[in-house]
Amino acid sequence: MKNKDLSSIRREYKFKDFTEINVDKDPLMQFKLWLDEAIEKKLTDSNSMFLATSTKDGSPSIRTILLKGLEDNGFIFFTNYESRKGIEIDENPNVSLLFFWRELERQVRIDGVAEKISRKDSEDYFHSRPYESQIGAYASAQSKVIANREELENEYEEILKKFEGKEIPLPESWGGYKVIPHKIEFWQGRENRLHDRIQFSKTNGDWKVERLAP
Ligand SMILES: Cc1cc2nc3c(=O)[nH]c(=O)nc-3n(C[C@H](O)[C@H](O)[C@H](O)COP(=O)(O)O)c2cc1C
């Protein structure tokens, strides 16, 4: 199937340059600068990212999630540990994250290893969420096949009744992961497709910086 309209969609990228001189030596600090800029500019879902996982025999899957914490050594998100992504991370903790800030003509690619955060940290975050979201997480066996929407809504109402006026306990199957990166690539769109790509790779505990051809 040929689509004429798609083949002619293209644009020039000229928002900013990004060179070895203005990049922070610590890629997580550099990431924070770009994330802060996306947040300051009030970009929609500025903390959204794609998470790619794969089974142990290499079959991939990808989905959108939200970055909920940034630490000196990693990227934190929350999910259901028994979801498809949770099962795949159990089988193979090697994951990739991808941020795309369209308006800033920027992409960040991260390769790393996912590990569960402590139950206490998951609990603290879980209880900081709106009450209804806590119930929603409790009511949904994420990624399992369900009969219809009614089943989900009935489960929600039941949990709501069960915990009326009480604190919702953190479900066993719910919590956070931290992705500890070993490769981070910053992409800044430039004119004539001569984009800037600066890649950090961790070797023997230190970050090596290289430029990649666009
Ligand atoms: C903007 C956006 C943000 C999302 N954030 C999360 C999130 O933080 N955690 C999560 O488990 N799912 C999130 N989802 C839903 C996931 O994309 C996905 O449907 C769900 O996690 C099940 O994925 P899985 O079956 O691959 O495990 C989000 C979806 C969108 C579109």
Side-chain angles (χ1 to χ4, degrees), residues 61-124:
S61 67
I62 190 160
R63 74 288 290 155
T64 315
I65 53 168
L66 297 177
L67 179 72
K68 286 292 174 178
L70 185 61
E71 295 189 351
D72 292 348
N73 67 343
F75 301 81
I76 293 177
F77 65 90
F78 291 88
T79 192
N80 188 307
Y81 289 143
E82 292 167 8
S83 63
R84 178 173 176 186
K85 72 183 92 49
I87 292 167
E88 292 185 0
I89 290 170
D90 267 354
E91 286 182 19
N92 174 8
N94 294 297
V95 301
S96 290
L97 300 173
L98 186 134
F99 290 82
F100 175 43
W101 294 299
R102 183 177 289 104
E103 297 80 350
L104 300 171
E105 300 172 352
R106 283 174 179 164
Q107 166 183 269
V108 181
R109 257 167 90 175
I110 297 152
D111 296 344
V113 174
E115 58 179 47
K116 285 181 183 166
I117 64 170
S118 73
R119 192 155 166 85
K120 166 83 177 69
D121 287 347
S122 290
E123 247 157 16
D124 289 348

